């Protein structure tokens, strides 16, 4: 690192000694002049250059403009000395913007440092890209950064920095990097021994996995496994203990990563995860006296509660957690109160029942008066989330009361939340209108346009609300003080529905007109324009005040505002036409608005879109969150745009753009996982076929590993023990095994334990898979193995698990056989195929082989059914847990002369018949006996 | 992710600023002022270490006369970042042997180098104090 530079220290001391700004500027100008002069000297030593560039950096940090030295900094970057290079890079990254053209000068130097076999220079180059990485750098340097990340020879520091540099490039320019292709290799680094590397690469995985859930799915298992190691096995290097807590940052990241995925279906993984969360909850019982330890512990605790809620909001674990939260929200520590309220809002967002939260309603309402605005805000969010029809009147009432004294920064959001809750949970129309009008009149300036659009929209669409709304809004208009938003609501509602109440005392047309028109002078032009529209509507329904109204139009014909003038002229002409048909047609009652999403919600959700780590829940009740998830996280931005357009359309009754709101701009979110590409070779096929008919044997072998299988089946249950041997003299790391390509409703496969991620040299690891056949299933599942030994190797092969594994032979007499054979009948419950066969060495049908195949697939041979000794007849029954037993009969009729063979399978299940036929045809047609 | 890191004294003079999201120079000046006005008047005893700022939130902690502020996404784990600040401060404290404001001023280039060992691209990079300090010692020896 740069050793001290005396000239620089002196310069800084000089500047600190300047007591007034002018002196400081003078000193800096003097120095800048000196530096300019020095830079002209071709003999300038590299030490001098470093010193002057350092001074420039200091001047820049002080906030002065620096327009020299870029070239010198670029020059320093190419230096052979670390300290000079470091200052050069610092100057580049601090003083240049990522779009600066000057950066192009250094791209080549960065590339050189990146590819050099010198870890310190690698790191400096990575820092530079991580700080100012541009689009161009992503394209030209992205692959090199990726190489440094995955290279087995990269030191830990290079790996960490490469991971985060890649993260920066990914966040800026995701399309430049082939992420799906890199996924498996990147995830495998989560098994690295160095926890610094793991925490960095986990950040990278978190960002990439959010957009590529399937490609990164293995990270789920890795995260669970790592948490188990840290929390339960307490397996970690001592230096990673932070106040006795194992690397809290990594734990928090892993717990968050798991929330990006839907809860795992694998009972083994889920079981481990539950143990982990339980252990975290238990650890929190003991409150540490040390602040750091306490904070670190709580950081993990709150994240774990979040995960528990995500997994199942109605689990016993969450009930326990809710009790903890209840204690937290009245804690003495402000941070804990804040986080308690925040997490409770998460619970409210997901929970089916708000009961446990409502018990603490009083405490939460009190938190609106907390000393800290941050806590008040959380209380507001929680109240909004826990609002329902039962408590809406109380909560909204409290919020309205609090609104008058609330922080200015909070008011706009409060107004939105009050408006939404009022609309959503109103038990009577009267209450809705009263509350909303009170809200508009008391919050005044903080009421966004969306709020009053929504009132109009709801009133228009609800027939029996219109009279009451007219009366209520008129009452507000009669007050001497009346906010402009209220005038707008009044203008619209009285214009449309004023005539409904015009016969009531005190509400006559002239009184309505006077109430509204007296507010006009204090209103802005758009509001006055709206009032003109109200007046033309009144010309139609209130002929008795037509003169007053025409008078107004008359006067407005001469105002300067173009919009007002035009409206006035048009309305004047319309009102003074002798025939009234046109007027009547134009002033027809507004048709109801088509149903649409609330613009208020869109407005509120907009707040939460600017985040790199996707939100796993939003403020609001369960319903709001379900909507959110259906849309998918990325969708929020798009829907906001359409929502905003839609809101604008409500105001003037212009062309209806609302149909846009229904457009789904996002397409299907759940991408189907692409089927993995199978490894294939004649040996793999041979091993597989052999295992289809026997329970034990070799499954796969190459230079590095060998895999064998031992299996057993009883009824509908089965068990495969998979032996993986490491043949090399180096350990296999980041080992992962998973099974895919099957329908989990028909057959379940679970590993008894999460496979250990290391296999030591010349040793064997055993992994047990439990299997249950629930219904007849198709094909064979795919076993996916991957491991790291220098580079990442992945092997995808079929697991010899066909439906026939769950067959048991049955013995039938000839009569029984034919009775059942006929009972089942032909297609579709019969599958039949004729295929060529090769004869054995002696030119005959290989009867021994055929028998072996039949019995290998679980059929009993029925010897006395068919008189032709070459023909074979078999019967078996398939065991399943959900679909019960399925019988299956089979006839095999080879024809020596034609070298053909006919296979007929009949079963009470069409699916089984077809599957059995498919499973047996291939081995039967082969020549060599297996 | 961390949007930016600011270290400011009680007068609002910024001693360290690191930006992980692009802001232009004028915006940076504005943010420095806004964050100072937001944080400095807050009560140390009765108020939390978190405060909302624009669409993000600032997690901060005061050490003697210096405020260490991290601006993070609104859904990030507050306490994890609060302790990340402490980790960084502990590293500075060991490295400068009882760090004070002047160390940050006179050794600004070292502070940036230390920062790059603890945080990178807006994320925490190394969580072990010992590992960072050993690395810094190694780098000090390079010419």
């Amino acid at each position: 690192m740069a050793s001290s530079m005396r000239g620089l220290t002196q310069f800084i001391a000089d500047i600190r000694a300047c007591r007034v700004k002018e002196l400081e500027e003078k000193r800096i100008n003097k120095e800048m002049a000196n530096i300019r002069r020095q830079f002209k000297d071709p003999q300038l030593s590299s030490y001098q250059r470093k010193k002057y560039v350092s001074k420039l950096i200091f001047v820049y940090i002080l906030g002065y403009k620096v327009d020299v030295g870029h070239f010198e900094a670029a020059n320093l970057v190419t230096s052979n000395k670390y300290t000079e290079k470091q200052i050069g890079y610092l100057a580049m990254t601090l003083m240049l913007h990522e779009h600066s053209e000057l950066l192009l000068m250094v791209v080549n130097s960065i590339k050189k440092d990146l590819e050099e076999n010198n870890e310190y220079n690698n790191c400096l180059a990575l820092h530079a890209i991580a700080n100012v990485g541009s689009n161009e750098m992503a394209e030209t340097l992205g692959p090199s950064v990726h190489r440094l990340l995955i290279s087995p020879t990269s030191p830990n520091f290079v790996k960490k920095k490469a991971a985060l540099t890649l993260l920066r490039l990914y966040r800026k320019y995701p399309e430049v990097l082939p992420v799906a292709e890199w996924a498996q290799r990147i995830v495998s680094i989560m098994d690295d021994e160095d926890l610094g590397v793991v925490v960095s690469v986990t950040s990278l995985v978190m960002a990439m996995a959010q957009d590529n859930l399937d490609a990164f799915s293995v990270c789920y298992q890795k995260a669970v496994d790592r948490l188990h190691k840290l929390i339960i096995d307490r397996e970690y290097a001592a230096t990673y203990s932070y106040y006795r807590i194992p690397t809290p940052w990594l734990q928090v990241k892993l717990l968050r990563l798991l929330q990006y995925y839907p809860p795992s279906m694998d009972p083994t993984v889920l079981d481990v995860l539950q143990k982990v969360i339980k252990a975290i909850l238990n650890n929190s019982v003991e409150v540490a006296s040390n602040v750091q330890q306490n904070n670190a512990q709580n950081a993990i605790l709150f994240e774990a509660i979040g995960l528990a809620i995500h997994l199942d909001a109605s689990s016993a674990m969450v009930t326990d957690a809710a009790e903890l939260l209840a204690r937290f929200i009245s804690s003495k520590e402000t941070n804990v109160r804040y986080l308690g309220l925040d997490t409770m809002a998460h619970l409210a967002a997901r929970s089916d029942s708000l009961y446990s939260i409502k018990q603490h309603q009083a405490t939460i309402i009190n938190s609106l008066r907390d000393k800290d605005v941050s806590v008040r805000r959380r209380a507001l969010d929680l109240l909004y989330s826990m609002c329902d029809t039962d408590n809406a009147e109380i909560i909204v009432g409290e919020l309205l009361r609090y609104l008058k004294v609330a922080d200015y920064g909070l008011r706009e959001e409060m107004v939105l939340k009050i408006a939404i809750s009022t609309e959503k949970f109103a038990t009577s129309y009267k209450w809705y209108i009263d509350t909303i009008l009170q809200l508009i009149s008391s919050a005044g300036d903080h009421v966004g346009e969306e709020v009053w659009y929504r009132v109009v929209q709801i009133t228009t669409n609800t027939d029996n609300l219109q009279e009451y709304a007219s009366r209520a809004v008129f009452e507000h208009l009669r007050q001497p003080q009346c906010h402009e938003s209220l005038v707008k609501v009044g203008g619209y509602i009285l214009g449309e529905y004023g005539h409904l109440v015009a016969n009531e005392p005190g509400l006559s047309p002239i009184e309505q007109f006077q109430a509204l028109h007296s507010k006009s002078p204090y209103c802005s032009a758009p509001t006055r324009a709206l009032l003109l529209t109200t007046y033309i509507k009144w010309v139609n329904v209130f002929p008795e005040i037509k003169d007053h109204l025409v008078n107004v139009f008359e006067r407005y014909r001469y105002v300067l505002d173009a919009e007002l003038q035009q409206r006035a002229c048009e309305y004047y002409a319309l009102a003074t036409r002798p025939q009234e048909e046109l007027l009547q047609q134009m002033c027809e009652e507004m048709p109801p608005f088509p149903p649409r999403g609330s613009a208020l919600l869109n407005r509120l959700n907009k707040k939460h879109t600017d985040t790199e780590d996707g939100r796993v829940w939003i403020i609001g009740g369960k319903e709001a969150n379900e909507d959110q998830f259906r849309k998918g996280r990325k969708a929020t931005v798009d829907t906001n745009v359409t929502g905003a357009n839609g809101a604008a359309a409500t105001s003037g009754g212009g062309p209806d753009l609302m149909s846009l709101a229904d457009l789904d701009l996002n397409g299907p979110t759940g991408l189907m996982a692409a089927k993995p590409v199978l490894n294939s070779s004649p040996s793999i096929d041979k091993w597989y076929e052999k295992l289809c008919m026997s329970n034990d044997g070799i499954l796969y072998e190459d230079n590095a590993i060998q895999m064998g299988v031992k299996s057993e089946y009883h009824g509908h249950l089965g068990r495969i023990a998979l032996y993986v041997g490491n043949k090399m003299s180096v350990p296999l790391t980041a080992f992962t095994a998973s099974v895919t390509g099957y329908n989990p409703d028909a057959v379940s496969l679970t590993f008894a334990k999460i496979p250990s991620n290391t296999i030591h040299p010349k040793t064997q690891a055993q992994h047990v898979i439990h299997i249950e056949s629930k219904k007849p299933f198709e094909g064979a599942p795919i076993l996916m193995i991957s491991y790291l030994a220098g580079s990442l190797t992945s092997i995808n092969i079929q697991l010899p698990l066909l439906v026939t594994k769950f067959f048991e032979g049955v013995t039938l007499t000839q009569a029984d056989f034919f009775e059942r054979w006929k009972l089942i009948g032909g297609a579709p419950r019969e599958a039949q195929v004729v295929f060529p066969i090769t004869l054995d060495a002696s030119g005959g049908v290989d009867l021994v082989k055929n028998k072996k195949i039949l019995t290998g697939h679980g059929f009993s041979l029925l010897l006395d059914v068919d008189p032709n000794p070459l023909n074979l007849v078999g019967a078996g029954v398939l065991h399943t847990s959900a679909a019960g037993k399925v019988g299956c009969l089979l006839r095999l009729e080879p024809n020596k002369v034609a070298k053909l063979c006919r296979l007929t399978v009949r079963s009470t299940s069409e699916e089984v018949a077809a599957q059995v036929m498919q499973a047996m045809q291939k081995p039967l047609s082969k020549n060599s006996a297996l | 992710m961390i949007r930016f890191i600011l270290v400011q004294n009680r007068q609002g003079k910024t001693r360290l600023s690191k930006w992980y999201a692009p802001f232009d120079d004028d915006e940076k000046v504005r943010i420095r002022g806004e964050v100072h006005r937001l944080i400095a008047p807050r009560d140390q005893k009765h108020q939390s270490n978190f405060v909302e700022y624009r669409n993000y939130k600032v997690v901060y902690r005061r050490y003697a006369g210096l405020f260490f502020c991290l601006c993070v996404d609104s859904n990030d784990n507050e306490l994890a970042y609060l302790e990340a600040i402490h980790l960084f401060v502990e590293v500075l404290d060991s490295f400068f042997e009882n760090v004070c404001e002047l160390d940050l001023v006179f050794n600004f280039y070292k502070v940036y180098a230390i920062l790059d060992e603890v945080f990178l691209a807006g994320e925490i990079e190394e969580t072990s104090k010992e590992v960072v300090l050993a690395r810094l010692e190694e780098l000090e020896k390079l010419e």
Side-chain angles (χ1 to χ4, degrees), chain A residues 56 82 92 98 120 133 184 214 237 266 340 381 405 444 446 455 530 717 723 725 783 847 871 873 875 896:
Chain A
L56 288 176
Y82 181 78
M92 302 303 302
E98 64 181 272
Y120 303 111
Q184 255 196 320
D214 286 326
D266 186 326
D381 285 343
V405 292
H446 305 282
V455 186
L530 187 146
L717 295 176
Y723 295 89
L783 175 69
L847 198 59
N871 290 353
V873 175
K896 199 168 84 179

Coordinates of all heavy atoms in Angstrom, one line a residue, chain A residues 56 82 92 98 120 133 184 214 237 266 340 381 405 444 446 455 530 717 723 725 783 847 871 873 875 896:
Chain A
L56 N -4.2 15.7 -6.4 CA -5.4 16.0 -7.2 C -6.7 15.3 -6.6 O -7.8 15.8 -6.6 CB -5.2 15.6 -8.6 CG -4.3 16.5 -9.4 CD1 -4.1 15.9 -10.8 CD2 -4.8 17.9 -9.5
Y82 N 3.3 -1.4 -7.3 CA 1.9 -1.5 -6.8 C 1.3 -0.2 -6.3 O 0.2 0.2 -6.6 CB 1.9 -2.6 -5.7 CG 0.5 -2.8 -5.1 CD1 -0.4 -3.6 -5.8 CD2 0.1 -2.3 -3.9 CE1 -1.7 -3.8 -5.3 CE2 -1.2 -2.5 -3.4 CZ -2.1 -3.3 -4.1 OH -3.3 -3.5 -3.6
M92 N -8.7 7.1 -11.3 CA -9.6 6.7 -12.4 C -11.0 6.5 -11.8 O -12.0 6.9 -12.4 CB -9.1 5.5 -13.1 CG -7.8 5.4 -13.7 SD -7.5 6.7 -14.9 CE -8.7 6.5 -16.1
E98 N -18.7 6.4 -15.2 CA -18.7 5.2 -15.9 C -18.8 5.4 -17.4 O -18.4 4.6 -18.2 CB -19.7 4.2 -15.4 CG -21.1 4.6 -15.6 CD -22.0 3.5 -15.1 OE1 -22.4 2.6 -15.9 OE2 -22.4 3.6 -13.9
Y120 N -2.2 -9.4 -7.0 CA -2.5 -8.0 -6.5 C -2.9 -7.2 -7.7 O -3.9 -6.4 -7.5 CB -1.2 -7.5 -5.9 CG -0.7 -8.3 -4.8 CD1 0.5 -9.1 -4.9 CD2 -1.4 -8.4 -3.6 CE1 0.9 -9.9 -3.8 CE2 -1.0 -9.3 -2.6 CZ 0.1 -10.0 -2.7 OH 0.5 -10.8 -1.7
G133 N -17.4 -0.2 -13.9 CA -17.6 -1.1 -15.1 C -18.7 -0.6 -16.0 O -19.8 -0.4 -15.6
Q184 N -24.6 -23.4 -13.1 CA -24.1 -24.6 -12.3 C -22.7 -24.4 -11.7 O -22.5 -24.6 -10.5 CB -24.1 -25.8 -13.1 CG -25.3 -26.7 -12.8 CD -25.0 -28.1 -13.4 OE1 -24.5 -28.2 -14.5 NE2 -25.4 -29.1 -12.7
D214 N -34.8 -21.4 -12.2 CA -34.6 -22.8 -12.5 C -33.1 -23.2 -12.7 O -32.6 -24.1 -12.1 CB -35.4 -23.2 -13.7 CG -36.8 -23.4 -13.4 OD1 -37.1 -23.8 -12.2 OD2 -37.7 -23.1 -14.2
A237 N -14.5 -21.9 10.2 CA -13.2 -21.4 10.7 C -13.4 -20.4 11.8 O -14.3 -19.5 11.7 CB -12.4 -20.8 9.5
D266 N -39.1 -31.1 -1.2 CA -38.3 -32.3 -0.8 C -38.4 -32.3 0.8 O -37.9 -31.5 1.5 CB -36.8 -32.1 -1.2 CG -36.0 -33.3 -0.9 OD1 -36.3 -33.9 0.1 OD2 -35.1 -33.6 -1.7
G340 N -39.5 -5.4 15.0 CA -40.7 -6.2 15.4 C -41.9 -5.8 14.6 O -42.6 -6.7 14.1
D381 N -47.4 1.1 8.4 CA -47.4 0.0 7.5 C -48.1 -1.2 8.1 O -48.9 -1.9 7.4 CB -46.0 -0.5 7.1 CG -45.3 0.5 6.1 OD1 -46.1 1.3 5.5 OD2 -44.1 0.5 6.0
V405 N -51.3 15.4 12.8 CA -50.1 15.7 13.5 C -48.9 15.0 12.9 O -47.8 15.1 13.3 CB -50.2 15.4 15.0 CG1 -51.2 16.3 15.6 CG2 -50.5 14.0 15.2
G444 N -55.9 17.8 2.6 CA -55.7 18.8 1.6 C -54.6 18.6 0.6 O -54.7 17.8 -0.3
H446 N -51.9 17.0 0.6 CA -51.3 15.7 0.4 C -52.1 14.7 -0.3 O -51.8 13.5 -0.4 CB -50.9 15.1 1.8 CG -50.1 16.1 2.6 ND1 -48.8 16.3 2.4 CD2 -50.5 17.0 3.6 CE1 -48.3 17.2 3.2 NE2 -49.3 17.7 3.9
V455 N -62.8 8.2 -5.8 CA -64.1 8.5 -5.2 C -65.2 8.6 -6.3 O -66.2 8.0 -6.2 CB -64.1 9.8 -4.4 CG1 -65.4 10.0 -3.7 CG2 -62.9 9.9 -3.4
L530 N -63.2 22.2 -14.9 CA -64.1 21.1 -14.5 C -65.5 21.7 -14.0 O -66.5 21.1 -14.3 CB -63.4 20.4 -13.3 CG -64.1 19.1 -12.8 CD1 -63.0 18.1 -12.4 CD2 -65.0 19.3 -11.7
L717 N -43.3 -49.4 -2.0 CA -42.1 -48.6 -1.5 C -40.8 -49.2 -2.1 O -40.7 -50.4 -2.4 CB -42.1 -48.7 0.0 CG -43.3 -48.0 0.7 CD1 -43.2 -48.2 2.2 CD2 -43.3 -46.5 0.3
Y723 N -24.1 -45.7 -4.7 CA -22.7 -45.6 -4.3 C -21.8 -44.8 -5.2 O -21.8 -45.1 -6.4 CB -22.1 -47.0 -4.1 CG -22.8 -47.8 -3.1 CD1 -23.9 -48.5 -3.4 CD2 -22.3 -47.7 -1.7 CE1 -24.6 -49.3 -2.4 CE2 -23.0 -48.4 -0.8 CZ -24.1 -49.2 -1.1 OH -24.8 -49.9 -0.1
G725 N -18.1 -43.6 -6.0 CA -16.7 -43.7 -5.7 C -15.8 -42.7 -6.4 O -16.0 -42.5 -7.6
L783 N -31.1 -38.8 -13.1 CA -30.2 -38.5 -12.0 C -29.2 -37.5 -12.5 O -28.6 -37.7 -13.5 CB -29.6 -39.8 -11.6 CG -28.5 -39.7 -10.5 CD1 -29.1 -39.3 -9.2 CD2 -27.7 -41.0 -10.4
L847 N -35.2 -68.4 -26.1 CA -36.2 -68.5 -25.1 C -35.7 -68.1 -23.7 O -36.4 -67.5 -22.9 CB -36.7 -70.0 -25.1 CG -38.1 -70.2 -24.5 CD1 -39.2 -69.4 -25.1 CD2 -38.4 -71.7 -24.5
N871 N -44.0 -69.5 -27.3 CA -44.7 -68.3 -26.8 C -44.7 -68.2 -25.2 O -44.7 -69.3 -24.6 CB -46.2 -68.4 -27.2 CG -46.4 -68.2 -28.7 OD1 -45.4 -67.9 -29.4 ND2 -47.6 -68.5 -29.2
V873 N -46.3 -66.4 -21.7 CA -47.4 -65.7 -21.1 C -47.0 -65.3 -19.7 O -46.4 -66.1 -19.0 CB -48.7 -66.6 -21.1 CG1 -49.8 -65.9 -20.4 CG2 -49.1 -66.9 -22.5
A875 N -48.0 -62.7 -16.0 CA -49.0 -61.9 -15.3 C -48.3 -61.2 -14.1 O -47.4 -61.8 -13.5 CB -50.1 -62.8 -14.7
K896 N -40.3 -67.5 -35.7 CA -38.9 -67.8 -36.1 C -38.7 -67.5 -37.6 O -37.7 -66.9 -38.0 CB -38.6 -69.3 -35.8 CG -37.1 -69.5 -35.7 CD -36.8 -70.9 -35.1 CE -37.0 -72.0 -36.1 NZ -36.7 -73.3 -35.6

